[in-house]
Amino acid sequence: METKLNVQGLEGIVENVTEATGADAIDGVQPQVVVEPETAEQVAEILKFARSEGVSVATRGGGTKQGWGNIPAAAEIVLSTERMNGIIEHEPGDQVVRVQAGAKFSYVQQSLFRANQMIALDPSSKLKEATVGGVVATNDSGPRRYKYNTTRDLIIGAKVVLADGTIAKSGGKVVKNVAGYDLGKLFTGSLGTLGVIVEANFRLHPLPEAARTVAVEVETPQQAKAAMMALWHSQVEASAIELHWGAEKKLVSALLESIPEGVEAKEEQAHVMLKSIGEVRSLNDEEYDELGPYPRPDGSGGEVVVKAALPPAELDGLIEVLTNATDRRGITANLRGHAATGIIFSGFSGNDEDALVEAVEEAREIIVRRGGSLVVREAPASFKRRVDAWGPAGDYMELTKRVKEKFDAAGTLNPGRFLGGI
Amino acid sequence: MEREKLIKAMEGILGERGVIHEREQLRTYECDGLMNYRVIPDLVVLPESAEDVQRIVRICHEEGIPFVARGSGTGLSGGALPVESGLLIVMSRMRRIIEVDLENMRMVVEPGVINLHVSNEVAHENYYYAPDPASQSVSSIGGNLAENSGGVHCLKYGFTTNHVMAAEIVLADGEIVNVGGGKANDAPGYELLGAFVGSEGTLGIATKVTLKLMKKPESVRTLLAAFGDLEEAGEAVSGIIGAGIVPAAIEMMDSQTVAAVEKTVKPGFPQAEAILIVELDGPQAEVDSQFQRVYDVCETAKASEIRIAESDEQRALFWKGRKAAFAAMGSVANDYYVQDSVVPRTELSKVLKRIGELSEEHGLQVANVFHAGDGNLHPLVLYNNENEGEGERAEALAGDIVFACLEHGGSLTGEHGIGLDKKKYMPKMFTEDDMNTMQLLRCAFDPHHLCNPGKVFPTPRLCGERPGPWKMHPIQKAGLAEMF
Ligand SMILES: Cc1cc2nc3c(=O)[nH]c(=O)nc-3n(C[C@H](O)[C@H](O)[C@H](O)COP(=O)(O)OP(=O)(O)OC[C@H]3O[C@@H](n4cnc5c(N)ncnc54)[C@H](O)[C@@H]3O)c2cc1C
Ligand SMILES: Cc1cc2nc3c(=O)[nH]c(=O)nc-3n(C[C@H](O)[C@H](O)[C@H](O)COP(=O)(O)OP(=O)(O)OC[C@H]3O[C@@H](n4cnc5c(N)ncnc54)[C@H](O)[C@@H]3O)c2cc1C
């Protein structure tokens, strides 16, 4: 291996050290080695080693979202959590699960399903490779966040390894707990820049017995908003209220979950509520797969995938901003989103990179001015060299830098990827 | 800075009516809801705006003066206890509701706003603010935020942290930062808001808070079930959870508590070894059907009696009995010590048994009344302070109960916080490395430890501490709030 990196030093710490290949590159930045530690202690030693050698560490779970954020400033070592993949503890009666970060999220869910429980997050079933650590580190969200909130609300404890090798935990395995600072939350969404998550504890919810998706066809952004508002401000207690805004079909749908009697009653109420807006129907299984809340454009819907957020009641405005910015430039934009949370994901494709850059910048400018945000999720490296993935931070940027500095003073972990280039 | 000069500087910012410096008046603020500890602050200031707070804190920063924020002073862990030679910043004049945005189901408030006022403000439109600590008629949103307060309904709806969307914070150096997304979700960056909520006033002072409102549920139903022992009641709880039902509340009381309650507020509860109150809320059809299941589960668990609240008045009576539990203890014991710790729910019966043993070992009675749904215990250690040494024994017993909870995988505190009261126990739950890591966050927010120093993390005892027996909080005495 042609490298300055002291590979032998690493081999003294952990058995599985392999040369990195092109497939391990992150936004074109080529790492030198991939290491697969099996314990928190090994993770600690690897990080200490990296720090002393002055090289960077990019933690990797399933690698499904390795390209999120800005182009890394450096990434010599890929630390894969692949071998730390067990469920440590699941006591159904406590409604709590404790898992290693490298466990596949889909595997954890499947085993919880057997006890009629779930972590109430919805990574797409297509993303079988996503790991618990990756889910926490990205704090992405699925449709059900409408009812259950996001990872930061469901994580009740975490064990992390800091850049200097300190192994620390916070929280615990009880749902109600206010002892000490909530580091599990701090690490949620930190994209591997504060430390390596090695374990996470979640509170669980019962698996709903029955579910149905009721959808109303809409034509205009205003109708979409009206449908969302009717559902949101009702007492139906939907689990998700979603937007599907494609060229052929435009829908607002509600995922209704409960016991069978409950679902029936909710379905009836939803039909009554929505019929003045457009054609209402309950989706069958096929339509549900295609139009229901689950599929999302992430990774499949275009060259550039963005996540835009505004206050929920501005859903119509959000749709307009995104479609205006793209339509005019001959860019196709399929919009999907968590309507009642004010979040829309969109995959942009078509036209050239200049047009894509302009479209994203225009939409971001307007959305930020209105108090929201537009984050570039996925894009070719050439695009990312021109547009910052995160957009402007608020007045919390200085504090953010100080937090990063305290946890990772040497900038060992995922340097350059996060907000403000930290 | 000399005290006189400091008073002048503060009066320059707040006017004379915003600064309290007479010793007698300062005594009003010498403790919070935990009256065992008392420290008289050097000075109390009453800001009326975020700018006031900022200017006050800047002076503290320049002069190295420690400061403590205080909301309504109902905290039960000594979080708002003043620091000697420090400033107490009382938020009670910052009580404006800045914006009610029903379209977005949000409300923006100043931190001194009382929890219940948030719900009252939007009740006519059928909305409410879900977190409902028993102190909701007096405690402030700022205090709730700092303590991550819970309430009976947090089993289903979550804690303060799940309902706060954004906060404006004055940091220890006087900088103002806005954390959280505001009315839009998911601002890019670290979860600074999530880390701030529950930090017990040690990371900065919240000066503005954006809250999530909710639509009131369509239907509410409540039942009360009596059991021959705590274990059977525990089985009923497991049965309900096992059936995939998430009640709005599940509360349990033991026979001693029931007897005390019957002596005082007389809700007419059945005399039983254990009483369970279960409340469901949500869409009507769902509630009706699940309610029947809860009923069946209680029957299967051999409930000796099940009562259903047929009217709002009856429901209120059930809750009155439960809410009176703490105050009622005064009728059976001179003094009591309230513990607040948590265990995984499946460990409940083991821990309750252990508490029984500890009670015998220490020769003091313990009454149990608790949030059964989430394993949050509030054991009441009964004692008589007039008997030589009983106060100390009560405290030792309360400590042993905490350790028992930790041994069974629990936590030091479920809702009252660490504050001053429990910081000595922190090393029982966390390693040095865990706590040092938490301190990194503290150092990023408040490098000089000026903001509520000496709380949460163990340090030597303060010189002003005066340990003593538990006393009923004035707001409780006044009948404004129940301990829960
Ligand atoms: C339709 C859909 C719905 C989804 N819904 C949700 C949802 O509701 N909730 C949710 O949370 N996710 C959801 N996801 C999943 C999410 O988008 C990512 O796919 C997933 O989190 C990435 O996991 P990974 O293991 O592949 O991470 P990777 O791609 O390997 O890593 C992603 C980032 O996390 C960092 N990282 C990974 N592991 C660790 C670790 N152990 N410690 C520190 N940093 C680490 C990496 O350095 C990198 O920066 C959803 C995805 C889709 C497509
Ligand atoms: C009778 C009674 C019943 C109770 N029931 C419950 C209950 O059911 N559930 C529950 O969780 N708690 C309960 N409590 C405890 C207490 O009411 C809560 O902790 C409450 O949130 C404290 O609010 P406060 O305004 O009184 O805060 P204070 O006691 O004044 O302060 C508490 C902490 O918050 C900090 N703080 C206050 N304002 C701010 C601010 N603006 N910015 C930053 N930090 C700030 C203080 O420094 C202190 O550390 C009860 C207390 C009593 C007396």
Side-chain angles (χ1 to χ4, degrees), chain B residues 270-285:
Chain B
Q271 259 314 320
E273 288 304 309
I275 277 187
L276 206 60
I277 299 178
V278 187
E279 185 157 288
L280 299 181
D281 68 12
Q284 176 109 39

Side-chain angles (χ1 to χ4, degrees), chain A residues 181-183 185-186 194 395-407, chain B residues 57 61 67 145 167-180 190-206 437-452 457:
Chain A
Y181 294 154
D182 199 338
L183 297 179
K185 283 199 180 44
L186 181 71
L194 292 180
D395 53 16
Y396 55 86
M397 193 61 228
E398 258 319 295
L399 182 59
T400 303
K401 282 189 185 145
R402 292 213 297 264
V403 171
K404 168 73 177 176
E405 236 168 65
K406 290 294 164 205
F407 281 83
Chain B
V57 169
H61 175 67
F67 57 91
L145 184 94
E168 177 188 84
I169 305 169
V170 176
L171 297 178
D173 60 2
E175 283 305 300
I176 293 188
V177 298
N178 285 275
V179 295
Y190 294 136
E191 253 303 329
L192 299 173
L193 177 63
F196 186 81
V197 176
S199 60
E200 305 192 26
T202 61
L203 297 182
I205 302 184
T437 302
M438 293 180 189
Q439 287 296 318
L440 294 176
L441 190 68
R442 171 66 171 277
C443 295
F445 276 78
D446 173 20
H448 306 296
H449 284 215
L450 289 179
C451 190
N452 208 2
F457 299 98

Side-chain angles (χ1 to χ4, degrees), chain B residues 31-51:
Chain B
C31 68
D32 60 6
L34 181 77
M35 284 169 272
N36 307 14
Y37 304 104
R38 287 159 200 273
V39 173
I40 297 177
D42 228 24
L43 214 59
V44 169
V45 291
L46 296 142
E48 297 188 21
S49 67
E51 291 68 39

Side-chain angles (χ1 to χ4, degrees), chain A residues 59 61-66 122-124 131 134-135 138 140 142 151 197 414:
Chain A
T59 302
T64 65
K65 294 288 170 274
Q66 206 56 339
D122 334 89
S124 143
T131 61
V135 166
T138 52
D140 191 18
T151 307
I197 301 154
N414 272 349

Side-chain angles (χ1 to χ4, degrees), chain B residues 68-76 79-80 91 111 133-135 139-140 142-144 146-147 149-150 200-201 204-206 415-416 452 473 475-476 481-484:
Chain B
V68 179
R70 178 184 167 108
S72 303
T74 69
L76 292 171
M91 308 305 285
S135 57
S139 65
S140 72
N144 289 175
E147 299 288 354
S149 292
E200 305 192 26
I205 302 184
E415 55 182 16
H416 294 168
N452 208 2
H473 191 272
I475 66 158
Q476 225 181 333
E482 306 287 357
M483 190 100 72
F484 218 22

